[in-house]
Amino acid sequence: MEDFVVGLIGMGDMGKMYAQRLSAAGWKIMACDTEEKYEALRKEFDGNNDVQICRNGHLVSRASDYIIYSVEAAAIHNVIAQYGPSTKLGAIVGGQTSCKDPEIKAFERHLPADVDIVSCHSLHGPGVDPRNQPLVIIAHRASPASVAKVEMVLSVLGSKHVHLSAKEHDRITADTQAVTHAAFLSMGKAWHANRQFPWEMTRYVGGVENVKINIMLRIYSQKWHVYAGLAILNPEARKQISQYARSVTALYKLMLEGDLGALRARVLAAKEKVFGRDDAPLWDDQPLLNPDLLERFSLGRKEPGEAPRANNHLSLLAMVDCWAELGIIPYNHMVCSTPLFRLWLGVTEHVFRSPGVLDEALRVAVEDRTYRSDDLEFTFAARGWAECVSLGHFETWKNRFETTQEFFEPRFKDATVVGNAMMKAVLESTRN
Ligand SMILES: NC(=O)C1=CN([C@@H]2O[C@H](COP(=O)(O)OP(=O)(O)OC[C@H]3O[C@@H](n4cnc5c(N)ncnc54)[C@H](OP(=O)(O)O)[C@@H]3O)[C@@H](O)[C@H]2O)C=CC1
Ligand SMILES: O=C(O)C(=O)Cc1ccc(O)cc1
């Protein structure tokens, strides 16, 4: 492996993270982005002798032994069609896209037959320390020797390798990532529709609300294509996102009707399916999240000693309803989960394993009208995202995302600082 060269096509956030970490560990890298970024990238990597910037993917492909495509999911087909035929004889090729169906199809179609296919997916954003985070390895068409080479190169990330097929990967990430994002995207849309910065309204500050707000802002501060790609292009995700919207609508209607009995019965039945019976729970003895920790990461002000206002937690109740309807046991996906999913499952578990909190949420749901208009907007938003994903409308998705991104944009700087601290503390304190 002495002269082994790793090629990186796409030097955005993930490509650069790989370039920096792999070269720091001593691997020789050849990398490119689109041609107009050539000079800027050369300047950026000027001091790094282990990273050679190329003008295009042909130059990377012809000289690299293992090539990783880290480009937008919607572009992967065209990019592989362009550079795939230039792949070095006998090389290994993989991709980093969040959804494997289009990537594998493009590889099968455009790569020469002598090339092995071993894909990967780091299950975390570029700003998260990859150590101990799951890294999916997909040995799609490869000799054991090629898989071993890929694992040796990527071992420098310190992630936990999880071996899956492309189909298993897409199924699990639809259950974990796509539907989790749908919940936070809907919260952002709802707050935007009511023109609220939720942390400026005292009723929103504290505990579970901190997680909702911080993660919502984190998602809207990122690039739209990452979230659009993994929802729209994953053939498994449509069902989950549509069910989430149906669950939100059904629970909201029960709230409007003031039917506490029916609401309670539905939520408790879902709880039993997802979290097990009270005498045989599926959760661990230790909660996934320490609730005290959540209080520390607020963007808003709270008077000392003031408890967070009760909330009906429609977004969380609907998540459990959705899992129950689809027969998903979220704990089964922990080996292949992102930090956001673990956080989301952690707060959901917190509400469902604290009987007082769940009872209060159900009582508030029918008695307290404070949240009615927010919840109406949340319901519209969840249905809007679901429709957009079902129709596969990238442009509408982009527009929906960017208008809300613009609304929250002035707050991203502060939110990123608090959000990063929260993620770090939560990751350190949660079991994986
Ligand atoms: N961000 C995240 O949290 C994670 C993302 N992923 C996945 O990784 C992939 C990359 O994501 P990320 O790095 O965040 O996105 P970025 O947009 O930051 O990076 C993608 C880069 O690829 C470039 N590109 C597009 N076409 C070509 C081409 N023909 N030749 C060379 N470069 C090209 C893009 O250029 P241009 O902008 O000009 O199009 C862009 O710079 C996506 O598929 C994403 O789903 C996986 C795990 C985590
Ligand atoms: O943790 C999450 O769900 C994120 O939002 C970050 C992210 C985005 C895309 C991926 O393919 C993997 C991780």
Side-chain angles (χ1 to χ4, degrees), residues 12-14 33 37 71-72 96-98 122 124-126 223 225:
D13 297 332
M14 291 306 284
D33 200 273
K37 290 191 215 126
V71 302
E72 294 90 330
Q96 174 68 264
T97 51
S98 311
S122 283
H124 55 84
K223 292 178 182 141
H225 73 76

Side-chain angles (χ1 to χ4, degrees), residues 191-313:
W191 286 319
H192 177 198
N194 282 333
R195 310 207 71 75
Q196 295 169 353
F197 291 130
W199 56 94
E200 288 179 353
M201 314 181 65
T202 45
R203 72 174 196 259
Y204 274 113
V205 179
V208 170
E209 304 313 314
N210 286 339
V211 175
K212 291 184 187 166
I213 294 166
N214 284 328
I215 296 187
M216 179 281 291
L217 285 169
R218 197 177 173 85
I219 287 178
Y220 276 103
S221 68
Q222 308 282 323
K223 292 178 182 141
W224 70 273
H225 73 76
V226 174
Y227 299 100
L230 67 83
I232 294 178
L233 297 174
N234 184 338
E236 309 282 335
R238 224 159 276 176
K239 197 170 71 199
Q240 271 81 339
I241 295 172
S242 295
Q243 179 57 51
Y244 185 66
R246 277 200 297 280
S247 292
V248 171
T249 310
L251 295 182
Y252 184 61
K253 283 183 183 167
L254 290 174
M255 291 178 185
L256 279 186
E257 287 161 17
D259 193 343
L260 182 58
L263 179 67
R264 199 179 161 76
R266 181 162 178 152
V267 169
L268 291 184
K271 176 187 173 200
E272 190 167 312
K273 275 196 188 165
V274 171
F275 293 117
R277 289 196 323 267
D278 285 346
D279 58 351
L282 294 176
W283 50 54
D284 213 49
D285 291 345
Q286 286 299 313
L288 216 45
L289 272 189
N290 171 1
D292 298 339
L293 202 126
L294 303 178
E295 293 296 335
R296 300 209 318 249
F297 301 101
S298 180
L299 280 167
R301 295 167 309 280
K302 192 171 91 143
E303 298 306 319
E306 187 192 4
R309 273 284 297 262
N311 186 317
N312 62 47
H313 295 307

